[in-house]
Amino acid sequence: MSPAHTSPSCLYHCSFFVLCFLSLLSGIQSDELLILMKLKSALQVTKTNVFESWEPTTSPCNFTGIACNSVGSVAEIELSYQKLSGILPLDSICQLQSLAKLSLGFNLLYGPVMEDLKNCAKLEYLDLGNNFFSGAVPDISSLSQLRYLHLNNSGFSGNFPWKSLQNMTGLVRLSLGDNPFNPSPIPTEVVQLTKLDWLYLSKCSIQGTIPAGIGSLTELINLDLSNNYMNGEIPTEIGNLINLRQLELYNNNFTGKLPVGLRSLTKLEMFDASMNSLEGDLSELRFLNNLMSLQLFENNLSGQVPAELGDFKKLVNLSLYSNSLTGPLPQKLGSWAQFNVIDVSANFLNGPIPPNMCKQGTMTMLLMLDNIFTGEIPTTYANCSTLIRFRVNHNLLSGTVPSGIWGLPNLNIIDITSNNIKGRITSDIKNAKALGQLFVGNNWLSGELPQEISGATSLVSIQLNDNQFSGNIPPGIGDLKHLNILNLQNNKFSGSIPETLGTCASLSDINMANNSLSGEIPSSLGSLPNLTPLNLKNNQLSDRIPQSFSTFAGKFFLDLSYNGLTGPIPQALADHGYFAGNPGLCLLDISAGVPSCENPYISPLLIHIQCRPLHY
Ligand SMILES: *[C@@H]1O[C@H](CO)[C@@H](O)[C@H](O)[C@H]1NC(C)=O
Ligand SMILES: *[C@@H]1O[C@H](CO)[C@@H](O)[C@H](O)[C@H]1NC(C)=O
Ligand SMILES: *[C@@H]1O[C@H](CO)[C@@H](O)[C@H](O)[C@H]1NC(C)=O
Ligand SMILES: *[C@@H]1O[C@H](CO)[C@@H](O)[C@H](O)[C@H]1NC(C)=O
Ligand SMILES: *[C@@H]1O[C@H](CO)[C@@H](O)[C@H](O)[C@H]1NC(C)=O
Ligand SMILES: *[C@@H]1O[C@H](CO)[C@@H](O)[C@H](O)[C@H]1NC(C)=O
Ligand SMILES: *[C@@H]1O[C@H](CO)[C@@H](O)[C@H](O)[C@H]1NC(C)=O
Ligand SMILES: *[C@@H]1O[C@H](CO)[C@@H](O)[C@H](O)[C@H]1NC(C)=O
């Protein structure tokens, strides 16, 4: 190696020399430079190198992410979102005498947060949130100047040092959520922080009740106590928090009614008290006409949906499912803003479906299943091209499905099961390119299934059972390569079963029982590897059972009973299917050397297979 080549050790000494030289120029700056160089060497950077400008020859005030005060001391370290990893050297950082802001959120920092944090006594802004620390948060009672404290989602555990908050009287934001702290109630130290506008305590093991003292935090804009172990009633004092825009109480064990006084929170835009045990009615909500999102699902709320909700000009999301609500929905509901989601499923709501929720052309989910809605599906949804889920099953709806609905381009699911709906599935279903689930069972639908269904190429499940469909099963169904379930039972389909079905390799459940199908059973069905069950009971199918069926013996539930089948039952199937009511069938006897077909078939006991879970 040439002597001219600078060795790493020389580089170190040279830098050190420069440091010493700089320190002659300015004592403070060189101390701070050393501290920052320690920070730089303690942390690894995975992508863009924020430390590129951090060179001993540069003034620390010129480092990327560093800001100095008027006398040239380091006052701010802003290194959030830099993919920094390593153990934070707070022992050195907190020697920076003027440090007022330490912002390290959204990095990959790990290990403990050292006790030395207490020496950062001038801090007004501390963000260590969204990292991978471990262990407890140390005592920070000396940080009495803090205005912003973000420690959320950073892996902290143990007891949070609540006492440390006692003298942080200027605290504006307190964000401790998403850390597995030891269980603790909301301590008095928190409700004395009267300057708070942001209190984020979601998912950090808060237990007990909301203290009445919460009413002192009148500056609060956002209060989030969701995902904890809280119980008791929501105190009426919550009504003092008239600046609230967001109130998140979901997934706790709150009981009692929506408190009197909630009506005062007229600036509220987001309210979520879902997944609790709240009861009583919604009348306190009548005045909250700035609500954009109202979520109260999975409670025990009763009474009517207040008519005033129909006039809320900003409402875009409404989720009230799984309660005991009664009466009609306001008919103007969702007609003002860019309405997005309604889920009022599993209640006792009646009356018509509000017609104008897709007025602005933005609605994605209409979920109203398991109620007692009446009237027709409004034609206004026929061009709601943004719709992804349309579920009105298990109601008392009548009339026809407005034809455009069958062809909506983004719809994943149409579910009108168990209503009194009549009419046809129209040919525009060919445009339903996203449709995976077509659930229309148990209605009064009639006519032929249009050949154009073959254009709905995303279909996975077709359930047309218990209707009045007639005519042929269109052979184009064979083009539906994702088709898994085909339930056509209890209709008036006639003609033969299309041979093409054998090319739908994913088919696992075919039920065509109780129709008027005739002709041969296509042998192609025997080549479907996952088919179980296959139910063709009670049709007029004739000829022989295809030999190809024997390969699946033992794998599938086969019911060919009550048809006009003839000839021998493939031997392998004799114990694996139901063949009663086919006088022409026989069991093959090969014992005599020359096969004979004389033994009549005696059917075993028929078993019923049913039950599929419900998802909204
Ligand atoms: C810091 O940056 C300023 C402006 O870019 C420049 O004038 C000054 O020389 C730099 N100081 C040092 C010590 O690098
Ligand atoms: C969580 O902390 C980040 C900073 O790390 C902050 O920007 C964010 O607002 C905090 N989230 C909540 C909900 O308080
Ligand atoms: C808050 O300040 C008071 C008065 O200065 C002091 O006695 C108390 O110890 C401080 N609390 C904490 C937790 O440091
Ligand atoms: C709610 O309380 C019940 C018993 O009262 C308990 O089993 C359940 O875990 C609690 N749920 C939550 C989210 O705290
Ligand atoms: C409404 O719900 C959608 C879909 O869940 C969500 O993306 C959107 O942010 C919500 N809007 C409001 C205001 O909560
Ligand atoms: C819901 O409220 C009814 C009375 O309105 C009560 O009988 C029932 O036990 C409650 N259910 C739950 C889960 O709290
Ligand atoms: C549906 O059609 C009506 C009448 O032509 C129109 O006013 C409305 O904006 C359309 N909606 C969407 C979502 O395209
Ligand atoms: C066929 O109809 C009979 C009589 O109505 C009924 O008991 C049976 O459940 C139906 N089969 C299927 C698979 O739906």
Side-chain angles (χ1 to χ4, degrees):
M1 190 179 283
S2 102
H5 190 95
T6 318
S7 77
S9 108
C10 171
L11 193 64
Y12 175 80
H13 289 300
C14 298
S15 319
F16 187 74
F17 174 76
V18 174
L19 286 185
C20 296
F21 174 70
L22 282 173
S23 73
L24 290 176
L25 298 177
S26 153
I28 294 175
Q29 283 229 345
S30 72
D31 288 350
E32 299 204 324
L33 183 59
L34 273 171
I35 291 167
L36 293 181
M37 295 323 279
K38 266 191 201 158
L39 174 60
K40 174 180 176 177
S41 63
L43 302 183
Q44 294 83 53
V45 191
T46 48
K47 211 172 143 216
T48 54
N49 193 345
V50 67
F51 289 136
E52 223 156 44
S53 64
W54 289 40
E55 288 302 326
T57 48
T58 312
S59 154
C61 302
N62 280 16
F63 289 3
T64 306
I66 299 296
C68 292
N69 62 16
S70 54
V71 297
S73 293
V74 173
E76 295 187 7
I77 299 179
E78 170 51 84
L79 294 173
S80 53
Y81 296 99
Q82 296 299 335
K83 302 199 155 109
L84 301 175
S85 78
I87 296 177
L88 194 60
L90 284 171
D91 47 352
S92 54
I93 293 175
C94 289
Q95 287 170 20
L96 294 166
Q97 294 302 309
S98 307
L99 193 64
K101 177 173 183 176
L102 180 58
S103 178
L104 293 164
F106 298 96
N107 280 296
L108 309 166
L109 302 172
Y110 55 83
V113 167
M114 305 167 184
E115 299 286 336
D116 307 81
L117 183 55
K118 69 173 184 290
N119 298 326
C120 275
K122 294 258 170 58
L123 279 182
E124 292 170 22
Y125 185 108
L126 175 60
D127 176 10
L128 301 178
N130 301 288
N131 280 287
F132 298 88
F133 294 111
S134 51
V137 175
D139 177 84
I140 46 172
S141 46
S142 53
L143 277 54
S144 59
Q145 312 293 304
L146 270 183
R147 300 181 63 234
Y148 296 85
L149 179 56
H150 290 291
L151 300 174
N152 55 313
N153 191 31
S154 239
F156 294 114
S157 55
N159 293 325
F160 183 80
W162 297 107
K163 281 266 175 300
S164 296
L165 303 177
Q166 200 175 50
N167 292 334
M168 288 184 197
T169 49
L171 206 60
V172 172
R173 296 216 162 177
L174 179 58
S175 197
L176 307 177
D178 306 313
N179 285 300
F181 291 126
N182 290 342
S184 161
I186 295 182
T188 47
E189 285 83 0
V190 168
V191 296
Q192 283 163 1
L193 300 170
T194 54
K195 296 245 165 60
L196 281 185
D197 73 16
W198 186 284
L199 180 55
Y200 181 68
L201 298 178
S202 173
K203 205 175 180 187
C204 59
S205 317
I206 304 291
Q207 60 185 17
T209 57
I210 302 180
I214 197 87
S216 330
L217 305 184
T218 54
E219 303 292 316
L220 277 181
I221 292 170
N222 179 19
L223 174 58
D224 193 334
L225 304 174
S226 60
N227 294 311
N228 283 304
Y229 310 112
M230 303 196 73
N231 54 22
E233 301 199 3
I234 303 169
T236 53
E237 287 79 1
I238 208 123
N240 294 354
L241 310 185
I242 55 166
N243 288 304
L244 275 185
R245 299 236 176 86
Q246 183 162 4
L247 177 56
E248 306 288 338
L249 303 174
Y250 61 91
N251 199 17
N252 280 287
N253 254 348
F254 291 120
T255 52
K257 300 180 176 175
L258 294 175
V260 177
L262 195 67
R263 66 177 67 189
S264 313
L265 309 186
T266 52
K267 293 183 186 164
L268 206 56
E269 294 173 346
M270 319 281 269
F271 179 39
D272 192 341
S274 306
M275 297 186 275
N276 282 293
S277 301
L278 298 171
E279 57 185 35
D281 64 30
L282 305 183
S283 57
E284 279 298 312
L285 303 175
R286 284 177 296 151
F287 309 94
L288 308 187
N289 60 8
N290 281 304
L291 278 177
M292 300 167 74
S293 174
L294 175 60
Q295 312 275 319
L296 293 170
F297 58 86
E298 292 179 14
N299 277 290
N300 203 6
L301 296 161
S302 55
Q304 301 212 2
V305 175
E308 288 83 350
L309 257 70
D311 301 317
F312 286 7
K313 301 285 190 293
K314 298 182 182 170
L315 192 65
V316 299
N317 291 333
L318 178 64
S319 225
L320 304 174
Y321 65 84
S322 299
N323 279 289
S324 302
L325 300 169
T326 52
L329 289 177
Q331 289 303 291
K332 283 184 285 177
L333 189 70
S335 60
W336 310 99
Q338 305 210 311
F339 198 72
N340 193 335
V341 177
I342 186 170
D343 193 343
V344 294
S345 305
N347 279 289
F348 304 100
L349 297 166
N350 62 24
I353 297 174
N356 291 319
M357 297 184 291
C358 196
K359 197 172 176 188
Q360 310 293 338
T362 50
M363 185 177 209
T364 62
M365 300 196 200
L366 190 154
L367 303 168
M368 306 182 73
L369 47 145
D370 283 325
N371 280 286
I372 41 181
F373 287 112
T374 52
E376 304 198 7
I377 296 170
T379 54
T380 40
Y381 295 106
N383 63 345
C384 186
S385 57
T386 47
L387 262 186
I388 294 170
R389 295 174 76 76
F390 181 80
R391 301 197 66 191
V392 296
N393 46 301
H394 296 94
N395 279 292
L396 299 174
L397 298 169
S398 55
T400 61
V401 175
S403 82
I405 287 185
W406 300 116
L408 289 175
N410 292 304
L411 210 52
N412 290 337
I413 177 168
I414 298 177
D415 192 348
I416 61 166
T417 306
S418 294
N419 280 285
N420 295 318
I421 294 171
K422 58 187 192 335
R424 294 162 182 254
I425 294 178
T426 52
S427 61
D428 58 342
I429 196 165
K430 66 175 179 290
N431 300 319
K433 296 298 179 201
L435 191 63
Q437 289 154 316
L438 177 61
F439 295 161
V440 306
N442 211 3
N443 278 290
W444 298 98
L445 295 169
S446 59
E448 295 197 12
L449 186 58
Q451 174 70 33
E452 288 82 356
I453 198 168
S454 61
T457 47
S458 301
L459 274 170
V460 172
S461 185
I462 300 178
Q463 301 189 15
L464 311 184
N465 54 286
D466 301 275
N467 278 289
Q468 307 289 316
F469 288 109
S470 58
N472 291 330
I473 299 170
I477 283 192
D479 296 342
L480 302 176
K481 295 305 173 208
H482 303 291
L483 195 61
N484 186 235
I485 296 174
L486 182 59
N487 286 352
L488 307 179
Q489 70 269 27
N490 301 315
N491 278 289
K492 297 172 176 170
F493 284 110
S494 57
S496 55
I497 298 172
E499 175 85 36
T500 53
L501 273 186
T503 64
C504 302
S506 314
L507 264 176
S508 70
D509 177 350
I510 296 179
N511 192 339
M512 300 181 176
N514 295 337
N515 279 287
S516 301
L517 298 166
S518 57
E520 269 184 75
I521 299 174
S523 73
S524 63
L525 295 187
S527 61
L528 290 171
N530 304 315
L531 189 57
T532 175
L534 171 61
N535 190 346
L536 302 175
K537 182 182 177 179
N538 210 12
N539 279 286
Q540 286 131 44
L541 298 163
S542 56
D543 286 301
R544 297 180 165 227
I545 298 173
Q547 268 306 323
S548 65
F549 276 38
S550 24
T551 40
F552 299 110
K555 255 205 216 164
F556 67 79
F557 168 91
L558 178 65
D559 191 344
L560 303 179
S561 53
Y562 300 96
N563 277 287
L565 298 167
T566 55
I569 295 169
Q571 196 153 43
L573 287 179
D575 299 327
H576 298 289
Y578 305 99
F579 306 100
N582 288 284
L585 281 182
C586 60
L587 280 178
L588 202 57
D589 183 3
I590 51 167
S591 56
V594 184
S596 72
C597 200
E598 281 156 12
N599 305 333
Y601 170 74
I602 300 156
S603 97
L605 213 62
L606 209 74
I607 341 159
H608 284 283
I609 303 177
Q610 228 354 300
C611 264
R612 214 163 273 119
L614 254 185
H615 307 285
Y616 301 159

